[in-house]
Amino acid sequence: MIKENYTISEKDITIVGGSENFSSNLKVVSNENNITIFDINITGEKAEIPAPITIKWKIPAHNVKGVWKPTTDFAKRIQADWELDHMESRISIDAPIINLFGHDDSNRLTFACSNAINKLELNARYREEDDYFYCFINLFTETNYEVKDFNIQLRIDTRNVHFSETLKDVSKWWESFDNLQPTSVPESALVPLYSTWYNFHQNLDEDKLEEECKLAYDLGYKAIIVDDGWQTKDDNRGYDYTGDWEPDRLDKTKEFVAKIHKIGMKVGFWYSVPFCGHKSKAFKRFKGKFLTENHRWAPVFDPRYPDVRAYLINIYKSALIEWDLDGFKLDFIDDFKHYPETKEKTPEMDYHSINEAVDRLLTDVITTLKAIKSDVFIEFRQKYVGPAMRKYGNMFRAFDCPGDATMNRIRIADIKMLAGNTAVHSDMITWHKEETVEVAALQLVNTLFGVPQISILLKEAPQSHLRMIKFYTNYWNENKVLFTEGNFTPFNPLLNYPQKQIINADKMILGIYDNYVSEINEQVENLDILNAKLSETIILKSKFDLGEFTATIFNCEGEVVKTTVFKLNKGISSLEAPACGLIQLTKKI
């Protein structure tokens, strides 16, 4: 029998560090159903730069299989206490949450912090001497300005439920704070999207783009993000000319956007927000107002200067008005951070904290843009997809993983569990044009629990690939409400989520990504099974005797290969489906 989860109380938590000037007070503000919320006040007799403070506790290592953090990808293993790397959370990187999950996918411990703006260090590490997990949150590790009063809340959840439920509940908890209210999500953020990046990189061609958009629209893609290259003819993948954002390559910008609108697609442009290239006019204008000039890509704007923020906001505002854009891909937000050469506050700055200045910048960006076009979409990518970023972005995208279907699947799931109603997009899928259609389909079917993004040259794709793309993109569009609003559960994180399911009152979709016994623990009358693998046997284990279903089986190009009656009994059953095919089960009445 698995031991019950360990309960954390006030006496289990200690607060250490700081200076003599500061005192700390911890109290329980809520304790219900194995969820405890602690309020922690740190108060100084006078304002001063605080020394680092650690909040820590330990729990016995009962039934812990791995450790979930928001952006660890494949690395969800247990970390020993002699491993020195800690997770960093701040406004533009990660989220202040860690989960310990069990061998049965149960939650063993989930802890989260209310402060998603400032830099925190978090960890939960195994100590071999006593077989406990030592958990902690470090505060003030980069604070270089005076503080007198500081308050956070710590939420600890030890319920014996599926680990994903605790993550989704933390997301709702973050939404309850005034400074973490998510922005609204427009319809334009919830449509399959064509991206120019992997297929064009910086070598954009207006005529080819228009032709690609026509093909993409017919396949079910209703928006395009024009990535890097629209603003410059420099095609060396560098950022020397960023900062001015005057279109050089797509120089008839308004006319281009109008052509794409006529096709029926929304249009967004890419901007690298922090970067100001050495060869830009902006670099000379803002000389001395950079967090660093030694970044490997380009100098990084310092958002603590109000004129820097005003300059950036006006760039996006002007593009929205003058070119009639529908959205923006705002990139590299995580490079707004403290560097060794970053200056302390000067009289020209109106913020001490870089993180708080980023919060102000992005708040003003979304407020300004939504006042002009209320349904503007803003895309951010991992790792800047935490709760604070939901205030300014309504689309979160999996971090770049070209050609890597498994990583795309993992990253979509990891984002989705914390994203609430914010749209979660796949990384742009791409594959070699001579790939077999079944292997190409792996790229797409691994993205379907997010909003698909595609980045291949459609004009050069074989007809079999186009049929596959159209079939699964139309399938996603037909099931859009379920995919974006249903109750989502990914299983077995250390096996890279070999099974995912999403369910509402009418239907369940089950994604099976490996040769794996897939459990059905719900009473369903309509069940779609994505055979998202190259093997053709599906093995199911049902908790219930669900009766007879009409089974319609499709190959990955959308052709019906078989219609039959399938009885889904309690226990083990199996059925066959083509590689990367689809089985639709409808209960017989």
Side-chain angles (χ1 to χ4, degrees):
M1 180 179 292
I2 295 172
K3 281 184 172 288
E4 288 297 313
N5 290 23
Y6 190 79
T7 302
I8 306 297
S9 65
E10 287 176 276
K11 64 181 177 59
D12 298 308
I13 297 176
T14 58
I15 302 174
V16 298
S19 64
E20 293 181 358
N21 174 42
F22 286 95
S23 61
S24 59
N25 178 55
L26 180 145
K27 66 177 181 180
V28 175
V29 295
S30 175
N31 186 5
E32 188 175 356
N33 299 325
N34 283 40
I35 301 173
T36 307
I37 299 176
F38 301 90
D39 191 83
I40 300 168
N41 278 299
I42 297 168
T43 306
E45 297 175 5
K46 63 181 187 304
E48 67 176 46
I49 297 174
I53 289 176
T54 298
I55 304 163
K56 62 180 183 178
W57 66 97
K58 67 177 182 178
I59 64 165
H62 293 158
N63 183 32
V64 178
K65 183 177 184 179
V67 181
W68 187 95
K69 300 173 187 176
T71 57
T72 46
D73 296 334
F74 293 129
K76 293 179 171 68
R77 66 172 180 82
I78 291 170
Q79 186 180 20
D81 68 345
W82 40 261
E83 299 181 78
L84 299 179
D85 291 338
H86 302 315
M87 171 186 157
E88 176 186 342
S89 169
R90 52 184 164 87
I91 186 171
S92 58
I93 191 167
D94 255 310
I97 181 172
I98 290 178
N99 163 264
L100 308 185
F101 57 88
H103 292 265
D104 52 356
D105 274 7
S106 64
N107 170 58
R108 306 309 294 166
L109 171 75
T110 300
F111 66 94
C113 181
S114 62
N115 193 315
I117 305 292
N118 303 104
K119 179 181 174 180
L120 307 173
E121 291 179 347
L122 306 87
N123 222 331
R125 302 183 303 175
Y126 193 99
R127 186 178 180 189
E128 59 195 63
E129 284 84 356
D130 58 8
D131 301 310
Y132 273 76
F133 275 92
Y134 285 75
C135 308
F136 67 84
I137 300 175
N138 288 336
L139 310 175
F140 307 132
T141 57
E142 72 168 11
T143 304
N144 54 7
Y145 51 89
E146 292 184 341
V147 173
K148 190 173 189 295
D149 297 295
F150 186 80
N151 174 266
I152 62 168
Q153 287 192 353
L154 170 64
R155 185 183 191 272
I156 295 182
D157 184 343
T158 59
R159 290 175 296 161
N160 187 19
V161 298
H162 194 273
F163 82 97
S164 66
E165 292 304 310
T166 69
L167 304 183
K168 289 182 277 189
D169 286 347
V170 167
S171 180
K172 294 174 186 175
W173 176 65
W174 279 326
E175 291 179 21
S176 70
F177 292 90
D178 290 340
N179 69 336
L180 296 177
Q181 291 287 307
T183 190
S184 58
V185 181
E187 182 64 22
S188 57
L190 294 163
V191 297
L193 186 151
Y194 179 91
S195 167
T196 65
W197 182 240
Y198 291 143
N199 49 1
F200 286 98
H201 283 97
Q202 293 173 314
N203 298 305
L204 298 175
D205 180 280
E206 183 174 336
D207 293 336
K208 289 182 180 179
L209 271 179
E210 185 179 355
E211 189 174 6
E212 285 288 298
C213 284
K214 290 176 182 177
L215 293 170
Y217 183 82
D218 289 341
L219 295 174
Y221 292 81
K222 307 303 181 186
I224 178 175
I225 286 181
V226 182
D227 214 295
D228 189 9
W230 65 266
Q231 81 290 357
T232 178
K233 291 182 179 177
D234 176 41
D235 58 3
N236 65 4
R237 277 208 193 186
Y239 298 92
D240 285 345
Y241 294 92
T242 54
D244 294 337
W245 303 108
E246 296 170 353
D248 188 8
R249 192 183 297 269
L250 294 183
D251 55 345
K252 296 179 181 177
T253 315
K254 184 174 183 179
E255 291 84 352
F256 168 76
V257 172
K259 288 178 183 178
I260 306 306
H261 281 162
K262 189 174 181 180
I263 293 170
M265 298 178 78
K266 302 288 187 180
V267 184
F269 274 21
W270 169 90
Y271 289 82
S272 62
V273 180
F275 295 158
C276 184
H278 288 284
K279 296 180 181 179
S280 68
K281 291 179 286 187
F283 177 72
K284 296 176 182 177
R285 174 178 170 181
F286 291 101
K287 184 68 174 173
K289 294 185 176 180
F290 299 106
L291 294 169
T292 181
E293 293 188 21
N294 299 319
H295 193 283
R296 67 175 183 145
W297 294 122
V300 177
F301 278 119
D302 190 337
R304 294 174 296 174
Y305 291 96
D307 58 333
V308 168
R309 298 197 305 271
Y311 174 75
L312 293 172
I313 293 164
N314 189 63
I315 286 171
Y316 315 133
K317 176 183 176 181
S318 298
L320 191 68
I321 294 172
E322 294 174 15
W323 303 334
D324 194 25
L325 293 181
D326 303 290
F328 298 83
K329 174 181 175 178
L330 299 182
D331 214 351
F332 295 105
I333 306 297
D334 49 338
D335 283 297
F336 283 128
K337 62 181 181 180
H338 190 274
Y339 297 86
E341 61 272 25
T342 298
K343 293 185 293 188
E344 303 303 324
K345 185 178 183 297
T346 69
E348 292 181 82
M349 301 176 185
D350 57 356
Y351 282 89
H352 283 281
S353 166
I354 296 168
N355 294 318
E356 290 174 8
V358 172
D359 183 43
R360 174 66 182 275
L361 167 65
L362 296 178
T363 297
D364 290 348
V365 166
I366 190 66
T367 302
T368 300
L369 298 182
K370 289 186 74 171
I372 299 164
K373 188 174 284 192
S374 60
D375 61 348
V376 64
F377 67 80
I378 305 289
E379 181 193 278
F380 295 134
R381 64 169 170 170
Q382 284 173 310
K383 294 186 173 180
Y384 36 98
V385 292
M389 302 306 288
R390 292 185 65 200
K391 297 163 59 177
Y392 342 103
N394 40 46
M395 293 167 55
F396 286 170
R397 178 175 66 80
F399 186 72
D400 304 35
C401 50
D404 193 336
T406 302
M407 186 63 82
N408 221 344
R409 176 176 84 239
I410 294 168
R411 288 174 171 168
I412 289 167
D414 287 343
I415 299 172
K416 196 174 179 74
M417 286 184 282
L418 291 182
N421 70 336
T422 301
V424 177
H425 283 238
S426 73
D427 183 37
M428 304 81 70
I429 55 173
T430 186
W431 58 82
H432 194 280
K433 63 184 178 182
E434 296 177 5
E435 186 60 89
T436 65
V437 67
E438 293 83 5
V439 175
L442 280 175
Q443 299 294 332
L444 185 48
V445 293
N446 271 272
T447 72
L448 293 180
F449 286 83
V451 184
Q453 290 196 16
I454 193 167
S455 189
I456 67 165
L457 283 172
L458 298 171
K459 185 181 179 181
E460 297 182 3
Q463 287 301 310
S464 60
H465 288 194
L466 296 179
R467 288 192 294 269
M468 178 272 292
I469 294 168
K470 186 166 188 174
F471 171 59
Y472 272 121
T473 306
N474 285 344
Y475 175 77
W476 191 93
N477 283 322
E478 290 164 4
N479 292 279
K480 174 179 179 176
V481 173
L482 177 52
F483 276 125
T484 58
E485 299 178 16
N487 185 27
F488 170 67
T489 307
F491 297 90
N492 218 325
L494 270 176
L495 290 182
N496 304 322
Y497 305 126
Q499 175 182 330
K500 293 182 180 180
Q501 76 176 37
I502 199 156
I503 189 169
N504 62 15
D506 301 317
K507 185 175 183 177
M508 182 167 83
I509 298 175
L510 186 67
I512 302 173
Y513 303 93
D514 211 336
N515 296 321
Y516 177 85
V517 177
S518 299
E519 296 188 6
I520 299 175
N521 297 315
E522 308 285 346
Q523 297 268 13
V524 292
E525 296 190 355
N526 296 285
L527 171 63
D528 287 0
I529 301 173
L530 294 163
N531 182 31
K533 52 189 177 66
L534 296 183
S535 58
E536 298 184 348
T537 300
I538 300 289
I539 301 175
L540 304 173
K541 181 181 180 183
S542 177
K543 185 177 180 180
F544 307 100
D545 190 345
L546 297 176
E548 287 190 338
F549 291 78
T550 299
T552 306
I553 303 172
F554 301 82
N555 66 19
C556 67
E557 296 180 50
E559 298 170 326
V560 176
V561 297
K562 188 176 183 180
T563 301
T564 187
V565 173
F566 176 70
K567 193 168 185 180
L568 190 51
N569 296 318
K570 181 178 179 179
I572 300 289
S573 56
S574 67
L575 66 169
E576 301 294 309
C580 288
L582 170 69
I583 303 168
Q584 292 191 311
L585 299 176
T586 303
K587 187 76 176 284
K588 293 191 71 176
I589 299 174

